[in-house]
Amino acid sequence: MSLLSFENVNACYGAAHILHDLDLRIEAGERVALIGRNGVGKTTVVNTLLGVAALRGGTLRVGGQVLRRPRAYDAARRGIAVVPQGRCIVANLSVEENLRLGAATQRPGPWHLDAIYRLFPILRERAHTPGTALSGGQQQMLAIGRALMANPALVMLDEPTEGLAPVIVDQLAEIFMAVADQGTALLLIEQNMSLVMRVADRYLAMAKGTVVAQGRVAEEGLEQLHRHVMV
Ligand SMILES: Nc1ncnc2c1ncn2[C@@H]1O[C@H](COP(=O)(O)OP(=O)(O)O)[C@@H](O)[C@H]1O
Ligand SMILES: [Mg+2]
């Protein structure tokens, strides 16, 4: 049974029809990259699951169960955590309070505050500072930590390395592999194809609101992958 599946999914923002007959499937423990140029609808895939974009046909399943009216809470409760594009750290909360927000669904599993602090020692050091006082890279670590606190079966990361220095991107690549080693599946929306090659074993490429190519990352070269994101 797939952790997440979209079959012939169509989705809209009001009158703007963005996803067209999109198919996507993620199995337990997989590391999947979702790639494509700006504006092709990658974030809208996440937004459809969260109920931000309206599902207008097709079938969306989480853990085999059909979601007719997806809601953010349903995805979280069924083991899907999202690290949103732009991180969305809550400004008036400390680092630790931001992390605790992620545990609202209280699923059992290996991730708890102390495990997150072992993964990101800098977050322990800064536990009581406001989340938004952190650097960009640290805020991304906080967003990832917050997602892990839900003990998800699948984490969806929407452009987690956008705007970060290469040394931080390298650290995050290690973190993604450490998370995957715990058996957690990853859906990585990413523009950095060398990161995709390091982290993902499978990719899906989107254009104009649908999946137009897919395959095993190991069977494609960097150039082949780049072709899907060139402007
Ligand atoms: N809230 C919204 N309302 C209307 N249109 C939107 C909204 N968010 C995104 N779009 C449009 O949907 C399309 C896909 O956007 P998005 O999913 O964010 O693309 P990507 O993440 O691949 O860059 C774009 O044309 C964008 O302008
Ligand atoms: Mg996006």
Side-chain angles (χ1 to χ4, degrees):
M1 183 176 56
S2 305
L3 292 179
L4 175 67
S5 76
F6 283 56
E7 272 175 47
N8 273 309
V9 163
N10 285 264
C12 308
Y13 298 107
H17 187 171
I18 309 295
L19 298 186
H20 300 268
D21 299 330
L22 179 131
D23 287 303
L24 171 159
R25 194 179 289 274
I26 299 171
E27 312 296 336
E30 275 196 304
R31 292 172 278 126
V32 182
L34 183 63
I35 64 176
R37 297 168 194 179
N38 274 330
V40 296
K42 302 180 302 294
T43 296
T44 305
V45 169
V46 178
N47 281 347
T48 303
L49 176 69
L50 299 180
V52 175
L55 180 64
R56 288 283 160 71
T59 308
L60 200 168
R61 287 191 182 84
V62 175
Q65 193 158 2
V66 176
L67 299 187
R68 285 180 216 292
R69 286 171 130 267
R71 296 259 179 272
Y73 179 76
D74 294 322
R77 206 161 45 101
R78 294 184 166 85
I80 300 184
V82 173
V83 178
Q85 191 165 17
R87 301 163 198 143
C88 301
I89 301 306
V90 182
N92 295 324
L93 299 185
S94 70
V95 165
E96 191 152 312
E97 287 164 340
N98 267 281
L99 286 173
R100 288 191 191 282
L101 281 183
T105 52
Q106 295 189 314
R107 288 164 49 90
W111 297 109
H112 47 79
L113 205 54
D114 209 49
I116 302 295
Y117 284 152
R118 277 199 297 273
L119 193 63
F120 299 114
I122 187 70
L123 295 184
R124 191 195 299 272
E125 284 170 35
R126 313 220 53 194
H128 304 296
T129 46
T132 46
L134 302 181
S135 70
Q138 291 166 0
Q139 285 192 30
Q140 192 63 59
M141 292 171 189
L142 177 53
I144 294 165
R146 184 179 57 189
L148 292 176
M149 285 288 282
N151 280 303
L154 167 65
V155 189
M156 302 174 87
L157 302 124
D158 195 352
E159 303 210 21
T161 68
E162 198 177 14
L164 300 181
V167 56
I168 308 288
V169 175
D170 283 346
Q171 281 179 28
L172 290 179
E174 303 275 324
I175 296 293
F176 299 154
M177 296 312 287
V179 171
D181 282 346
Q182 297 278 334
T184 309
L186 304 177
L187 179 75
L188 177 65
I189 299 176
E190 191 46 70
Q191 303 279 5
N192 178 337
M193 290 307 117
S194 45
L195 183 69
V196 165
M197 302 240 347
R198 280 172 71 183
V199 173
D201 45 29
R202 193 159 73 77
Y203 77 95
L204 301 163
M206 284 182 69
K208 295 182 183 160
T210 200
V211 173
V212 292
Q214 53 187 303
R216 303 246 131 227
V217 168
E219 289 161 16
E220 312 279 343
L222 198 54
E223 261 175 58
Q224 196 75 17
L225 290 175
H226 264 300
R227 213 170 285 175
H228 297 294
V229 291
M230 280 185 317
V231 243

